Amino acid sequence: MIEAILFYFLAACAVVSAVGTITRINPLMSALWLVAALLSLAGLYGALAAPLVAAIQVIVAAGAVMVLILFVVMMTDRGPEGMRPRAIRFSKMLGALAAAYLAIVMIVAVAVPPFVASPASGGYYESPVTLGGFVAGKYAAAFELAGVMLLVAALSVITIAKWGERTRSDDDDCEEALS
Amino acid sequence: MNAMDISIAAARAVVIFGLVLSLIPVLIWMERKGAAYIQDRRGPNRAHILGFRLGGLVHMLADALKLLTKEEVTAAGVMKPLVFLAPALAFFAATATVAAVPFSGPISVAGQTLTLEVANMKAGLVYVLAISSLGAYALLLAGVTSQTSYSFLGAMRAASQFISYELALGMAALALFLVAGSLSLTDIAADQGAVLWRWNAFRQPLAFLIFMAALFAEASRLPFDLPEGDSEIVGYHVEYSSMRFAMFFMAEYAHIIVGSAVVAALFFGGWNIPFADQGLIAANAERIAAVAWPIAAVVLMLAGASIAQRFKKRFGDLRDYEPVMIGLPMMIAGVTLAILYAPLGDVILSTRWLPAAVTFVLGFTAVLAKTLLIASVFVWVRWTLPRFRYDQVMAFGWKILLPAGMLNLVVTAAIMLYLG
């Protein structure tokens, strides 16, 4: 009973904050909503008797999204009030395509569940050994790929930020030449 | 889980949270007195209630009154919910970490084993790192939503500093995990045992230094207090006043207390007393109590007498009588203890729960003493070292602490592998 209430509450929090993430215009606000969504997910993991996964989720939420916020600030480079609405060309077309793709994936996933109910008893996901086995064994490739993706993202943001700096004005170039 | 378990858990949560809350004014008092003695001053000693000054502790009460009655100012055009959320989040992140800290060893009462932490989590260490890293969001929210350049600068500094030092903190903690083979703070403290050189501060000295340095940065204490930087930018809470500012202020001190308690559990054996392990204490509980009782009576009498004899007419008001008003009750308490020893001594010394009580009291005292000692190192460092420059903070975190932490981790892993 109490688990059901907890589940529906946390799930509702996750959905609401996920909607907040994609509807806010200010990128900083959507990043903060993303934190809320990730924290609700952490709560769900905790309710599923996997406190270690929940704690790691919080670390990821706190650390990685913090980096994201710094990226946002670096890219816009003008403080909170200078952040403009984001606009991408063909954004609606791209969005429709991505939504269609996601819908197909979700329909397939619901029709053919790839995950069977785990045979684990209580405490199985509490053990760091289990989790380490997954991350360094079965899912090592996916884990490393995610790491590489984050590195590429970091490098591209630094490139974009530096590129914006170079084209801003000539005064900066003089300072650079002097230093 | 029955009603009994739930009520015990709730009582533990309330008591331990209340303990942290009541240690905050003590630490602020330690800070002010420590600052004063390092700078060759007397520190706070004026405020008094009916002549009781308690060495300046009454100033904390005056502070609380002042902060509560001040005007709360909210700048126009800010996002109100976020402005309210930031101090609450700061306080939550600073105090919630304490749930994983053991405040005494496991004690057995009436065939049941009681543990003295809010939640004995298998993932305690990860939980501590996770919750404390949430604290950065409070600083970020406060700084960004205040819409001031100074607080924004403070928030940016806080965010980058936390990200940088979190890694070093995690590296140092991972080495402890390798040594103890468990992520639970209780298990790590129990693994160190009562032998002094088995404590992690001696087994893992490099991890200890890295952890302390990173903890200073996470608590944004003086060598790393760039998010506040009183003398350059007032920092992330420049727009906050009254109790909302006080929440940030209390969160900072709560962070130090909880951080010290975590260090005590991770590196100084938690509840363990050097060379006197839990079994030994429980077996000799009766002897310990029988000796401690008369000693307590004598110490109370002597201390009361030495305080009371400082009575002198200096101020010409109630403050003159403070030594007598404190010293006399202490002497009376000591005499009462000594008199009660004859009729009550045998009854109390032969009760069933005496071993549990003695282990608990000694373990709790050890944790508290270690926590306050480590917290006093925070005070000492704050009034000794100047602030780092921003580039020095980044270089220290990324070029020294992180590589040293990695090296420590690899060497520890190799040694653990070699030892099997």
Side-chain angles (χ1 to χ4, degrees):
Chain A
M1 179 58 191
I2 196 163
E3 275 151 12
I5 295 173
L6 204 62
F7 171 78
Y8 283 115
F9 174 70
L10 288 170
C13 284
V15 170
V16 167
S17 39
V19 169
T21 309
I22 55 173
T23 51
R24 293 305 98 185
I25 287 172
N26 186 339
L28 192 72
M29 289 309 294
S30 52
L32 289 176
W33 275 112
L34 181 61
V35 178
L38 291 176
L39 290 184
S40 322
L41 274 185
L44 281 176
Y45 293 145
L48 284 169
L52 181 64
V53 185
I56 289 173
Q57 171 82 3
V58 174
I59 291 187
V60 170
V65 182
M66 184 68 82
V67 175
L68 185 75
I69 290 173
L70 286 184
F71 281 0
V72 166
V73 173
M74 271 167 73
M75 285 180 75
T76 54
D77 203 18
R78 232 173 277 144
E81 68 281 347
M83 290 172 184
R84 296 269 155 72
R86 295 157 290 173
I88 310 171
R89 284 167 86 194
F90 311 119
S91 61
K92 284 191 180 130
M93 231 194 312
L94 285 174
L97 281 175
Y101 171 71
L102 263 180
I104 293 169
V105 169
M106 281 171 91
I107 290 167
V108 170
V110 172
V112 192
F115 301 110
V116 286
S118 84
S121 55
Y124 181 66
Y125 289 108
E126 272 187 50
S127 160
V129 178
T130 318
L131 197 74
F134 279 147
V135 169
K138 197 173 169 190
Y139 300 111
F143 186 68
E144 291 299 322
L145 275 178
V148 171
M149 198 176 72
L150 285 175
L151 186 67
V152 170
L155 284 179
S156 47
V157 165
I158 291 171
T159 317
I160 291 170
K162 285 280 168 194
W163 175 71
E165 206 171 78
R166 203 172 299 142
T167 53
R168 203 184 300 136
S169 72
D170 293 336
D171 297 344
D172 291 353
D173 291 342
C174 294
E175 275 176 22
E176 263 179 33
L178 284 173
S179 62
Chain B
M1 197 159 184
N2 55 22
M4 176 77 178
D5 287 338
I6 292 177
S7 53
I8 288 181
R12 269 198 303 231
V14 170
V15 167
I16 290 179
F17 186 69
L19 180 79
V20 173
L21 274 188
S22 55
L23 278 177
I24 291 172
V26 175
L27 188 62
I28 297 176
W29 174 76
M30 270 168 63
E31 173 106 281
R32 290 183 179 163
K33 279 288 182 190
Y37 289 135
I38 285 174
Q39 297 165 354
D40 204 12
R41 297 183 282 121
R42 295 303 293 264
N45 63 354
R46 301 299 164 96
H48 67 97
I49 299 171
L50 297 174
F52 286 102
R53 293 178 297 169
L54 300 176
L57 262 176
V58 177
H59 276 259
M60 304 306 114
L61 210 61
D63 268 355
L65 276 179
K66 181 194 81 174
L67 285 166
L68 276 171
T69 50
K70 271 199 165 181
E71 184 191 0
E72 283 206 39
V73 183
T74 312
V78 296
M79 276 176 261
K80 277 259 175 72
L82 292 183
V83 172
F84 286 117
L85 182 65
L89 189 63
F91 198 70
F92 166 77
T95 48
T97 324
V98 85
V101 178
F103 273 87
S104 181
I107 53 173
S108 45
V109 181
Q112 267 188 316
T113 307
L114 271 179
T115 51
L116 273 300
E117 64 271 312
V118 176
N120 185 5
M121 279 172 282
K122 279 202 183 133
L125 202 50
V126 185
Y127 168 81
V128 167
L129 292 178
I131 298 292
S132 71
S133 64
L134 276 183
Y137 275 98
L139 273 58
L140 191 81
L141 274 180
V144 171
T145 55
S146 293
Q147 309 225 351
T148 324
S149 303
Y150 290 118
S151 65
F152 186 73
L153 259 178
M156 286 300 112
R157 287 178 175 189
S160 46
Q161 181 174 314
F162 273 58
I163 291 168
S164 312
Y165 282 80
E166 214 170 61
L167 292 169
L169 203 70
M171 287 288 169
L174 269 181
L176 301 186
F177 167 61
L178 284 183
V179 170
S182 167
L183 281 172
S184 157
L185 261 67
T186 314
D187 290 350
I188 292 175
D191 175 68
Q192 296 171 58
V195 183
L196 190 62
W197 46 85
R198 271 183 61 84
W199 285 3
N200 280 334
F202 301 100
R203 280 196 296 188
Q204 287 281 336
L206 189 58
F208 173 59
L209 292 178
I210 294 168
F211 196 90
M212 277 306 268
L215 192 64
F216 272 86
E218 292 271 302
S220 53
R221 284 290 287 188
L222 197 77
F224 302 99
D225 77 335
L226 288 109
E228 287 175 46
D230 303 316
S231 50
E232 26 185 288
I233 55 168
V234 182
Y236 58 91
H237 49 42
V238 67
E239 288 292 325
Y240 281 81
S241 63
S242 180
M243 208 53 206
R244 261 183 260 152
F245 166 74
M247 288 283 273
F248 279 118
F249 192 62
M250 278 157 66
E252 192 191 325
Y253 285 94
H255 202 137
I256 295 166
I257 290 163
V258 175
S260 305
V262 169
V263 169
L266 287 181
F267 292 98
F268 291 95
W271 63 82
N272 287 301
I273 297 168
F275 307 113
D277 69 49
Q278 290 244 296
L280 194 75
I281 292 174
N284 294 304
E286 202 178 317
R287 264 173 237 146
I288 294 171
V291 174
W293 192 329
I295 288 181
V298 170
V299 166
L300 267 178
M301 279 191 268
L302 287 180
S306 75
I307 290 176
Q309 61 91 27
R310 291 177 60 186
F311 171 69
K312 203 167 74 179
K313 291 265 184 203
R314 277 192 301 174
F315 304 104
D317 58 18
L318 280 171
R319 278 178 290 172
D320 286 334
Y321 298 96
E322 192 191 7
V324 182
M325 293 305 289
I326 292 175
L328 271 185
M330 279 172 79
M331 285 167 74
I332 294 169
V335 172
T336 323
L337 263 184
I339 293 170
L340 282 181
Y341 190 49
L344 280 182
D346 286 343
V347 184
I348 289 178
L349 288 184
S350 57
T351 45
R352 221 158 25 87
W353 44 262
L354 189 76
V358 170
T359 357
F360 166 71
V361 168
L362 285 181
F364 182 69
T365 315
V367 171
L368 214 56
K370 286 170 188 174
T371 303
L372 286 180
L373 261 177
I374 297 164
S376 66
V377 173
F378 277 81
V379 173
W380 178 26
V381 169
R382 166 160 187 187
W383 298 101
T384 309
L385 293 181
R387 184 179 308 133
F388 280 133
R389 242 175 24 230
Y390 186 72
D391 61 319
Q392 289 172 328
V393 168
M394 287 296 126
F396 185 61
W398 288 102
K399 292 183 184 161
I400 297 176
L401 281 190
L402 188 61
M406 281 172 159
L407 183 74
N408 186 46
L409 191 63
V410 170
V411 170
T412 310
I415 291 173
M416 293 305 287
L417 199 65
Y418 177 73
L419 292 177

